[in-house]
């Protein structure tokens, strides 16, 4: 039973069916002017429209990328370069660009920023989440802003706890702050959110969020293993600088012809499914997730289940349950290795090589070390049923029984 949908999702059947059609009908190079090329270009335009509709933006605001990592790096690259060029144009000397983010971001945000700091190319503040809410609070983010701040990047929902961050409120405050900063001759603060985990599990509307950039990752919502970046008026209203140079695809913001085929084959169908059905998906996944947590407490006892993703006053993703089964010798990886049916993880898939070390994100949220060490992250999907949950809980019970018996010897 696959309960690791925050790591990746299977390709939607509708998208898989589109593969054969597109390979037969639209195999041309979209940069070519003949009919086969024009057909391919037309389908890329359709994909752009589908993604824009999914997030409430305009087609011209969508730039396709190889994935979320590239999209996130492009935003950081752009913010730093825009700061430098604005500084040179105005003849001011603001100093080193400063970026604000949270302590629980994906590595594709954290690691580029750490590298820039190491090379003395930028300064970064990692705002801790509060143990009470599991969120990076607006007041704490604002307290970190400096005159040299050029970017605030806060994820829309955390991949391990599922906690949803106050991005819309943050954007409103930064928009007001930018008006004051402009009058003072200070650089504009750009706002970015990584929406990889939220799309397909809840409402995502760039107008409501008020962000300048939003990262889209196809394989998190039953689409292709590529990504896109929403930019509010790329190159005009909002700066965007390429990291690659080549054939001129994507208006030269992101050249590379090999990227285009998965765009027109998979993306439109996956995005349309989200646009039409996200509310039904959300309701179904929340019901199954809540049933899972109720069954865990009923089977193990409330005193033995610690729900790591329950925070006072915070909303969380409809599909995500992060919990620990308390007791010695029940580290998450050991429990999963004794399961016969459950396919899940202890946290972010990109950290799967870190052994029994607890998740730094859970520790940041105030989860005690020994509890975090036992953590399991189960993320249900569109097709997960209550019967699947019953099998999973039964599987966990037999795994824990085995480990308890081994511990008693």
């Amino acid at each position: 039973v696959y309960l690791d949908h925050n790591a990746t999702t299977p390709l939607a059947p509708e998208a898989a069916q589109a593969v054969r059609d597109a390979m037969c009908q639209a195999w041309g190079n979209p940069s070519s002017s003949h009919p086969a090329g024009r057909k391919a270009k037309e389908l890329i335009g359709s994909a752009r429209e589908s993604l824009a509709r999914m997030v409430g933006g305009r087609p011209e605001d969508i730039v396709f990328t190889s994935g979320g990592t590239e999209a996130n790096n492009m935003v950081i690259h752009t913010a730093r370069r825009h700061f430098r060029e604005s500084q040179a144009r105005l003849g001011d000397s603001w100093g080193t660009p400063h970026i604000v983010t949270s302590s629980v971001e994906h590595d594709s945000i954290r690691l580029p920023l750490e590298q820039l700091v190491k090379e003395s190319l930028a300064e970064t503040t990692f705002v801790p989440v509060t143990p009470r809410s599991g969120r990076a609070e607006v007041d704490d983010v604002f307290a970190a802003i400096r005159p040299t701040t050029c970017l605030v990047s806060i994820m829309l929902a955390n991949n391990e706890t599922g906690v949803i961050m106050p991005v819309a409120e943050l954007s409103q405050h930064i928009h007001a702050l930018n008006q004051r900063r402009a009058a003072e001759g200070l650089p504009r603060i750009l706002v970015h959110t990584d929406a990889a985990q939220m799309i397909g599990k809840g409402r995502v509307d760039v107008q409501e969020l008020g962000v300048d950039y939003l990262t889209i990752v196809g394989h998190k919502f039953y689409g292709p293993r590529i990504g896109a970046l929403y930019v509010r008026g790329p190159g005009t209203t909002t700066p965007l600088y390429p990291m690659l140079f080549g054939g001129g695809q994507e208006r030269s913001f992101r050249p590379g012809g090999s990227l285009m085929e998965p765009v027109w084959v998979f993306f439109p169908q996956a995005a349309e499914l989200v646009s039409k059905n996200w509310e039904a998906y959300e309701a179904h996944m929340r019901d199954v997730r809540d049933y899972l947590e109720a069954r865990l407490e009923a089977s193990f006892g409330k005193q033995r289940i610690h729900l790591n993703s329950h925070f006072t006053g915070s909303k969380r993703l409809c599909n995500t349950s992060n919990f620990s089964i308390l007791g010695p010798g029940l580290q998450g990886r050991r429990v999963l290795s004794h399961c016969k049916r459950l396919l899940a993880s202890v946290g972010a898939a990109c950290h799967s090589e870190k052994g029994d070390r607890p998740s730094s994100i859970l520790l940041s949220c105030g989860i005690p070390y020994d509890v975090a060490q036992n953590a399991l992250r189960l993320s249900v999907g569109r097709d997960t049923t209550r019967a699947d949950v019953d099998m999973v809980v039964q599987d966990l019970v037999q795994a824990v029984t085995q480990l308890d018996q081994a511990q008693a010897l």
Side-chain angles (χ1 to χ4, degrees), residues 323-341:
F323 63 92
S324 298
I325 304 171
L326 304 181
L330 296 180
Q331 292 87 351
R333 293 180 196 285
R334 295 193 70 200
V335 172
L336 287 178
S337 70
H338 283 74
C339 287
K340 298 173 181 176
R341 293 180 173 176

Side-chain angles (χ1 to χ4, degrees), residues 74-346:
M74 187 182 288
V75 171
I76 294 169
H77 166 77
T78 289
R80 196 179 69 82
R81 183 166 166 185
H82 181 65
F83 178 92
R84 290 295 190 198
E85 293 199 359
S86 298
Q87 187 172 239
R89 187 174 63 252
L90 295 173
D92 288 331
S93 181
W94 294 323
T96 304
H98 173 244
I99 296 170
V100 178
T101 190
S102 82
S103 62
V104 296
E105 297 294 316
H106 190 270
D107 278 356
S108 58
I109 289 289
R110 181 179 64 84
L111 293 178
L113 292 177
E114 289 181 352
Q115 185 63 30
L116 289 174
V117 170
K118 185 177 178 181
E119 296 176 11
S120 300
L121 295 174
E123 297 173 341
T124 300
T125 300
F126 293 93
V127 176
V129 297
T130 62
R132 176 181 52 82
S133 68
R135 308 192 314 176
E137 299 294 356
V138 172
D139 288 347
D140 295 333
V141 173
F142 252 68
I145 290 175
R146 306 174 187 172
T148 54
T149 301
C150 62
L151 175 67
V152 171
S153 178
I154 304 291
M155 64 184 1
L156 192 49
N158 185 260
N159 51 311
E160 292 194 33
T161 64
V163 169
I164 297 170
M165 302 292 178
V167 172
E169 182 185 354
L170 180 63
S171 294
Q172 287 178 349
H173 283 73
I174 291 178
H175 179 72
L177 176 62
N178 274 334
Q179 293 178 322
R180 298 195 297 273
R181 285 169 67 96
E184 297 169 11
L186 293 175
R188 171 185 172 187
I189 300 173
L190 300 164
V191 182
H192 167 247
T193 190
D194 181 345
Q197 290 296 337
M198 189 70 171
I199 293 173
K201 304 167 191 169
R203 182 174 176 81
V204 176
D205 186 303
V206 293
Q207 308 309 326
E208 293 175 4
L209 292 170
V211 294
D212 299 304
Y213 309 96
L214 181 139
T215 296
I216 300 166
V217 181
H219 73 96
K220 303 293 188 183
F221 58 92
Y222 295 75
R225 289 183 178 275
I226 56 171
L229 182 65
Y230 162 83
V231 186
R232 189 181 297 274
T236 54
T237 305
T238 304
L240 186 65
Y241 294 97
M243 296 192 297
L244 303 174
F245 298 88
Q249 293 87 352
E250 289 302 282
R251 294 156 285 171
S252 294
F253 291 126
R254 203 294 180 185
S258 61
L259 180 66
M260 292 297 102
E261 191 167 83
V263 164
W264 74 66
V265 172
F266 299 117
F267 247 149
Q269 289 74 21
E272 289 298 336
L273 286 171
V274 170
S275 296
K276 293 174 183 174
N277 303 310
W278 71 265
E279 289 172 298
Y281 294 153
E282 182 183 34
H284 169 74
M285 287 188 278
R286 176 172 287 111
D287 174 75
V288 175
R289 189 272 314 276
D290 291 349
Y291 179 71
L292 166 66
E293 293 182 345
R295 290 285 292 116
L296 286 168
E297 291 185 336
S299 299
F300 290 98
K302 284 190 176 183
Q303 73 284 353
R304 204 173 185 194
I305 295 292
H306 188 279
L307 297 171
N308 302 321
S309 49
H310 281 207
F311 294 93
T312 304
S314 291
K315 296 180 180 178
R316 59 177 171 145
L317 292 173
C318 60
N319 77 321
T320 305
S321 179
N322 193 307
F323 63 92
S324 298
I325 304 171
L326 304 181
L330 296 180
Q331 292 87 351
R333 293 180 196 285
R334 295 193 70 200
V335 172
L336 287 178
S337 70
H338 283 74
C339 287
K340 298 173 181 176
R341 293 180 173 176
L342 172 61
L343 303 176
S345 65
V346 298

